[in-house]
Amino acid sequence: MKKDSTEPLHFVLLEDDPNDAELIQLQLARNDLNITWRHVMSESDFRAALAGTPPDLVLADYTLPGFDGLTALRIVLERSADIPFIFVSGSLGEERAIEALKSGATDYVLKDRLQRLPMVVNRALSEARDRRERRQAETALEEQRILLSTLIDSLPEIIYAVDTENRLTVVNRALLETLSKKREDVIGRRLSELWTEENVVDIEGQAATTMRTGRPLTDQERAWIGLDGSVRWFTITHVPLRDHGNVSGLVCTVQEVTQRKELEQEILEISNREQRRLGSDLHDGLGQELTGLSLLMKGLEMQMARESPQYSPQVMKITDLLARAIQSTRSLARGLAPVNLERGGLPEALKHLVARCTDMYSLECTFTIGGQKLPDLEEGAATHLYRIAQEASTNAARYARATSINIDLRSTGRKLQLSIADDGIGLSAGLAQGRPGMGLKIMEYRARMLGGSISFDEPGSGTRITLTAPLHLLRQSKDKKRLAASG
């Protein structure tokens, strides 16, 4: 039975007895089957009937003069294995019936039991239709698979999928080229077995977390250090695959963003350099001129005290205003260039921050440094760390109503950790009161620029902000040290 019920079925009937052929056709006609018949009696006519459009079904006697049903079955199978073939015979014993079914026949009906024929025909047509639809679905799936494989192989990003045991199930050409391996050599294996890179182990750990929680990981940035010391940046995305609601694996992408990161870092470095230049100009230019003017005013004040004492109060006010202007200029200069590598670097800058925070907000602000000896940090990285501490302490003082803040800096192993803890109302409460959240985004951005991560915790009371970053991305390189020394 075809999809369109109004379209007649095309049957080929191989039968040498006209009477039997008529009985077969009448039997099926009484069961409301719309059939067009092609009745043949010889092999040549049978082959001609199969030419062109394949029939929907073949009915054949088992024994014919000069021809036999098994030969007819082989001819049909050579033409198409999807054409149902039913033996209708009066001399088909059990052994022959079994042989016919093993040879590929769909079914058989004895001529003295033709009342079974409609049921057998309907079942054969239904099974043929199911096979055809299944094959069409399989073909469509295979076409989609080929299209998907072609698409992901054409993308420059590394794309792969893993099962719940973190074993590779799909890989694209970019990953194969990175690993210098063939597809059959990587499928079924863990990425860490093929890629001897420290970050890969961490990536697999994150993949396991994503599968456990079901929460995707999107565009996490990571820095990879080459054997020559070069830094390459990548973004990593893990998206869970689900089967009836359960996580069955992950689709993962790794995209190199080194050029973008270098551009971002260059833009920030230009901004930092400009701020340092302005700070230097304020300190060495305007600051020195104001200091000179203050000295002149001191001399004038002494002279006026001797010659015109009635003007001394006005002169003293001018001297005080100049002193305040000098202090403001120094504060602005320090704010524009807070970290000076030649004057204590980041630790000294954080000490000044603590002192300023204590004076400005009238609270207890402390600074501690621990762990291993802190290596020399690159000025840009140190400035990022300072700005994070500055933003966190300002938020705690202004919005969280903290009475105490502690800034802690320490290096442990290959990591540097900066934490800012306060006893305020907490980050969640501050945000619930409509406090601005852009500062948090900026801190997160600075952390990513350092190749690290930042967490915001509320351990009972107050807030603890912790940044962790790899030291090898923060250290001052030998070339930069030489440049700083020569400058």
Side-chain angles (χ1 to χ4, degrees):
M1 293 177 286
K2 295 185 178 181
K3 294 179 181 179
D4 186 357
S5 59
T6 62
E7 185 179 351
L9 297 167
H10 175 47
F11 284 8
V12 172
L13 174 59
L14 178 61
E15 173 60 60
D16 63 323
D17 188 333
N19 294 324
D20 288 345
E22 185 177 359
L23 288 174
I24 291 170
Q25 294 176 31
L26 287 173
Q27 186 65 46
L28 291 178
R30 283 198 293 267
N31 285 272
D32 298 327
L33 290 176
N34 184 13
I35 304 170
T36 59
W37 292 92
R38 181 77 180 269
H39 178 206
V40 296
M41 299 184 184
S42 65
E43 180 177 354
S44 59
D45 291 342
F46 183 69
R47 290 183 180 276
L50 296 178
T53 303
D56 294 295
L57 184 135
V58 173
L59 298 166
D61 196 355
Y62 188 82
T63 304
L64 300 104
F67 193 35
D68 65 88
L70 287 178
T71 302
L73 174 60
R74 285 193 293 271
I75 294 172
V76 170
L77 292 177
E78 290 172 0
R79 179 73 168 83
S80 172
D82 293 331
I83 302 174
F85 191 103
I86 299 173
F87 280 111
V88 183
S89 177
S91 59
L92 191 65
E94 182 177 351
E95 291 184 2
R96 288 182 175 180
I98 293 174
E99 180 187 3
L101 295 176
K102 287 183 177 180
S103 298
T106 306
D107 210 333
Y108 68 93
V109 175
L110 298 178
K111 289 183 178 179
D112 58 358
R113 297 182 182 178
L114 285 180
Q115 66 273 14
R116 291 186 61 250
L117 187 58
M119 178 191 68
V120 172
V121 167
N122 285 333
R123 184 172 63 242
L125 292 173
S126 177
E127 291 174 353
R129 183 182 63 249
D130 291 343
R131 286 194 302 271
R132 183 170 59 251
E133 291 176 351
R134 183 168 58 251
R135 186 172 57 256
Q136 290 173 349
E138 291 172 350
T139 300
L141 285 174
E142 179 63 15
E143 290 175 350
Q144 291 180 0
R145 187 195 68 78
I146 294 173
L147 175 61
L148 180 61
S149 177
T150 302
L151 285 174
I152 68 172
D153 274 344
S154 302
L155 294 174
E157 296 86 358
I158 291 174
I159 302 174
Y160 62 94
V162 295
D163 59 18
T164 54
E165 295 182 354
N166 251 326
R167 298 190 180 280
L168 295 165
T169 57
V170 176
V171 295
N172 75 333
R173 182 178 292 112
L175 178 57
L176 295 175
E177 291 176 352
T178 300
L179 299 175
S180 299
K181 292 186 180 294
K182 296 180 179 179
R183 200 178 304 270
E184 58 268 21
D185 296 330
V186 303
I187 296 298
R189 301 182 65 184
R190 292 176 179 269
L191 193 60
S192 58
E193 298 173 359
L194 306 163
W195 201 344
T196 56
E197 164 64 45
E198 179 183 356
N199 278 305
V200 174
V201 177
D202 292 339
I203 290 171
E204 285 192 346
Q206 289 177 328
T209 300
T210 300
M211 283 188 276
R212 185 177 66 254
T213 63
R215 293 191 296 269
L217 175 74
T218 306
D219 291 337
Q220 184 190 71
E221 293 183 350
R222 278 186 171 272
W224 291 3
I225 311 300
L227 296 176
D228 58 353
S230 61
V231 180
R232 297 173 66 191
W233 290 88
F234 295 85
T235 60
I236 301 164
T237 296
H238 292 162
V239 179
L241 293 171
R242 298 184 183 275
D243 183 10
H244 298 90
N246 298 319
V247 176
S248 59
L250 295 178
V251 172
C252 311
T253 64
V254 180
Q255 181 180 11
E256 184 165 3
V257 292
T258 303
Q259 290 185 348
R260 191 197 76 193
K261 292 292 291 187
E262 289 176 347
L263 179 59
E264 290 177 353
Q265 289 173 339
E266 181 61 26
I267 292 173
L268 282 176
E269 183 57 30
I270 291 172
S271 174
N272 289 336
R273 286 199 299 267
E274 187 63 17
Q275 287 184 356
R276 289 194 294 271
R277 185 190 65 78
L278 290 173
S280 178
D281 289 347
L282 281 172
H283 183 273
D284 299 333
L286 180 60
Q288 295 301 322
E289 292 173 0
L290 289 174
T291 300
L293 184 58
S294 177
L295 292 174
L296 291 174
M297 288 303 299
K298 284 288 185 181
L300 181 61
E301 181 181 346
M302 294 174 64
Q303 183 178 352
M304 294 297 290
R306 291 193 303 268
E307 300 176 1
S308 304
Q310 68 273 22
Y311 297 113
S312 291
Q314 288 86 347
V315 174
M316 290 178 63
K317 286 182 181 180
I318 296 174
T319 302
D320 289 340
L321 288 173
L322 278 172
R324 293 179 187 177
I326 291 170
Q327 183 61 37
S328 297
T329 301
R330 288 174 178 172
S331 296
L332 285 172
R334 186 177 293 113
L336 288 169
V339 180
N340 190 318
L341 298 182
E342 297 177 355
R343 299 174 187 170
L346 179 62
E348 192 65 25
L350 291 177
K351 290 178 184 178
H352 283 294
L353 174 63
V354 164
R356 181 172 176 273
C357 187
T358 299
D359 294 339
M360 182 176 293
Y361 302 112
S362 300
L363 49 73
E364 182 185 358
C365 190
T366 58
F367 170 64
T368 55
I369 186 167
Q372 304 166 357
K373 181 182 178 182
L374 190 69
D376 293 333
L377 301 180
E378 195 272 329
E379 188 171 2
T383 301
H384 281 309
L385 293 165
Y386 175 88
R387 296 299 186 193
I388 290 172
Q390 183 184 44
E391 180 70 27
S393 57
T394 301
N395 286 343
R398 288 184 177 177
Y399 305 129
R401 300 197 295 270
T403 60
S404 68
I405 301 172
N406 176 252
I407 300 175
D408 182 80
L409 179 68
R410 61 184 61 243
S411 61
T412 55
R414 292 178 291 179
K415 301 284 186 180
L416 181 138
Q417 180 177 290
L418 172 68
S419 64
I420 305 94
D422 67 71
D423 63 351
I425 62 176
L427 179 65
S428 300
L431 293 176
Q433 294 180 9
R435 303 305 183 189
M438 184 55 68
L440 304 181
K441 296 183 182 299
I442 293 174
M443 283 191 279
E444 290 176 338
Y445 178 76
R446 290 186 183 277
R448 290 199 302 271
M449 292 301 297
L450 298 172
S453 60
I454 193 166
S455 62
F456 304 90
D457 303 312
E458 295 177 305
S461 63
T463 301
R464 179 182 294 276
I465 298 175
T466 305
L467 176 139
T468 304
L471 273 172
H472 58 257
L473 294 180
L474 311 180
R475 285 193 181 98
Q476 189 177 25
S477 66
K478 294 181 180 179
D479 292 339
K480 290 184 178 179
K481 285 183 180 179
R482 285 195 296 268
L483 184 61
S486 63

